[in-house]
Amino acid sequence: MNSRRNFIGKLGAGMAGLFMVSRVKDVYAINNQGRLPVVVSTWNHGLKANDAAWDVLRQGGYALDAAEAAARITEADPEVITVGYGGLPDANGKVTLDACIMDERGNAGSVAFLEHIKHPISVARLVMEKTPHVMLTGKGALDFALSSGFKKENLITPLAKKAWKKWRKEDRTFKPVINIENEILPNHDTIGILALDAQGRLCGACTTSGMAYKLHGRVGDSPIIGAGLYVDGEIGGAVATGSGELVMKTLGSFLVVELMRNGMSPEEACKEAVHRIAAKIEGYEQHQIGYLALDIHGNIGSFSMQPGFEYALKNDLVSDLVKVNSYMR
Ligand code: SD4
């Protein structure tokens, strides 16, 4: 998690000429300025994920393959305690996963409350491609995955089990972390990915183990099309991270894309979606929300509720973390 704080200062003087760099206090915003292909992912684990996406994109590959490849890297990483294998469990000690995927034509697939499968994003893609449905949940999603050849695995790592046992002994309450940066074990950090390929096809993916110590059966925004992810291949895409309940109540990613359709830049749209939550939802101060958007011309924008949100950007010139402006200071 430390590397989240280390990105500032990486921008060389030469880079400043190539990218639009704006400063707000100590926060930088970089714009991709229309470079294709490009991939953006939430949080610092997005750096590794973007590398996998880039392997697809730089060869002229499909944005959907890039987004899925990126998601699989984070899902398989036991050090990421908020996604896939290694994710922190729910209140009952079960790792339950949510994921969705969407392509440039509006096709979508999703799984929710899925146990024992390391790569929910690939199950979501199969739901999209091989079934007439959009979403499968719980045991039904597991049965579908197993019958499609996925392996049943134990996803709880010793570290995650230890953290859960400590929580069960000492705490037993569910509380979203306000300032993620100060936590040793942050309890939410979904990966959302938006990839735009050389042919201008924009696709997205979102995958998470959800909020740590959530009630068994709880599903967040991440597998909900329009909440955790939305893509319109003629406009752009958006992903969300943070307290899913607030994103779901405002259908955040759909809202961001609609605001872009109505002429807002990706940055303005993300900002408005965060402001909408602040205006409508009581207790928003206790939550982190991060939106990340990419339009089909390669413009990027992001905005969060609390300081500390960042995204990883990769194109043919740069692979870096970008700090995001926030509503709260
Ligand atoms: C959820 N939105 O399950 C997810 C968690 C998350 O950064 O995004 N964390 O509510």
Side-chain angles (χ1 to χ4, degrees):
M1 293 294 153
N2 285 343
S3 58
R4 279 191 196 161
R5 300 182 198 106
N6 294 341
F7 82 98
I8 285 188
K10 282 191 192 163
L11 287 174
M15 214 50 105
L18 290 166
F19 294 95
M20 188 175 74
V21 178
S22 66
R23 288 174 194 218
V24 181
K25 290 190 178 164
D26 61 343
V27 178
Y28 294 66
I30 306 174
N31 204 317
N32 180 50
Q33 288 200 330
R35 300 191 81 81
L36 262 63
V38 61
V39 57
V40 287
S41 302
T42 55
W43 303 109
N44 66 338
H45 45 231
L47 286 171
K48 270 200 222 164
N50 283 357
D51 286 344
W54 192 251
D55 284 345
V56 176
L57 295 174
R58 75 183 158 80
Q59 298 176 43
Y62 183 22
L64 191 71
D65 296 328
E68 183 187 6
R72 287 175 64 94
I73 292 294
T74 319
E75 287 177 340
D77 188 342
E79 287 179 12
V80 179
I81 57 171
T82 46
V83 179
Y85 175 58
L88 288 173
D90 66 15
N92 292 7
K94 309 276 186 206
V95 178
T96 73
L97 305 175
D98 297 338
C100 73
I101 196 159
M102 195 160 184
D103 75 15
E104 81 286 3
R105 289 166 296 163
N107 298 309
S110 152
V111 288
F113 191 43
L114 174 63
E115 290 184 62
H116 307 302
I117 301 292
K118 197 187 242 174
H119 290 297
I121 199 66
S122 298
V123 185
R125 183 164 177 179
L126 273 192
V127 173
M128 173 173 99
E129 292 177 342
K130 304 280 186 223
T131 80
H133 308 304
V134 170
M135 186 174 205
L136 293 179
T137 66
K139 185 167 180 309
L142 176 61
D143 291 346
F144 172 75
L146 296 176
S147 68
S148 306
F150 288 81
K151 242 186 16 208
K152 189 167 181 175
E153 295 182 62
N154 176 18
L155 300 181
I156 192 154
T157 56
L159 176 72
K161 200 171 205 164
K162 199 170 151 198
W164 170 69
K165 282 190 169 156
K166 187 168 180 285
W167 169 82
R168 203 175 49 159
K169 210 164 133 200
E170 296 172 3
D171 195 331
R172 301 187 76 93
T173 54
F174 173 75
K175 33 172 204 292
V177 176
I178 298 173
N179 192 343
I180 302 161
E181 297 295 294
N182 290 338
E183 295 296 314
I184 304 159
L185 285 182
N187 84 354
H188 56 85
D189 272 6
T190 295
I191 186 151
I193 302 136
L194 296 166
L196 181 59
D197 66 28
Q199 292 181 43
R201 295 171 297 193
L202 197 153
C203 301
C206 185
T207 180
T208 190
S209 51
M211 308 294 261
Y213 320 131
K214 59 194 175 186
L215 281 178
H216 187 63
R218 181 264 190 189
V219 168
D221 60 314
S222 303
I224 308 295
I225 299 299
L229 167 70
Y230 195 71
V231 171
D232 183 320
E234 290 176 357
I235 304 292
V239 289
T241 176
S243 294
E245 280 72 8
L246 281 68
V247 175
M248 292 160 94
K249 285 174 188 168
T250 52
L251 210 54
S253 292
F254 181 74
L255 175 61
V256 170
V257 173
E258 285 307 295
L259 291 168
M260 292 197 290
R261 186 195 306 282
N262 290 329
M264 283 192 186
S265 70
E267 183 89 14
E268 289 165 347
C270 291
K271 192 171 182 179
E272 170 60 23
V274 168
H275 279 240
R276 200 72 71 88
I277 289 175
K280 280 188 183 288
I281 302 182
E282 215 172 292
Y284 69 87
E285 304 92 337
Q286 308 303 318
H287 296 269
Q288 174 63 302
I289 305 289
Y291 287 117
L292 173 59
L294 173 64
D295 72 18
I296 54 162
H297 309 294
N299 300 303
I300 302 164
S302 187
F303 201 78
S304 62
M305 183 65 79
Q306 311 280 344
F309 179 49
E310 60 198 3
Y311 67 87
L313 158 68
K314 192 167 179 87
N315 59 24
D316 59 342
L317 281 178
V318 71
S319 177
D320 218 335
L321 279 174
V322 182
K323 232 181 192 181
V324 170
N325 289 310
S326 58
Y327 180 81
M328 313 262 302
R329 293 279 156 190

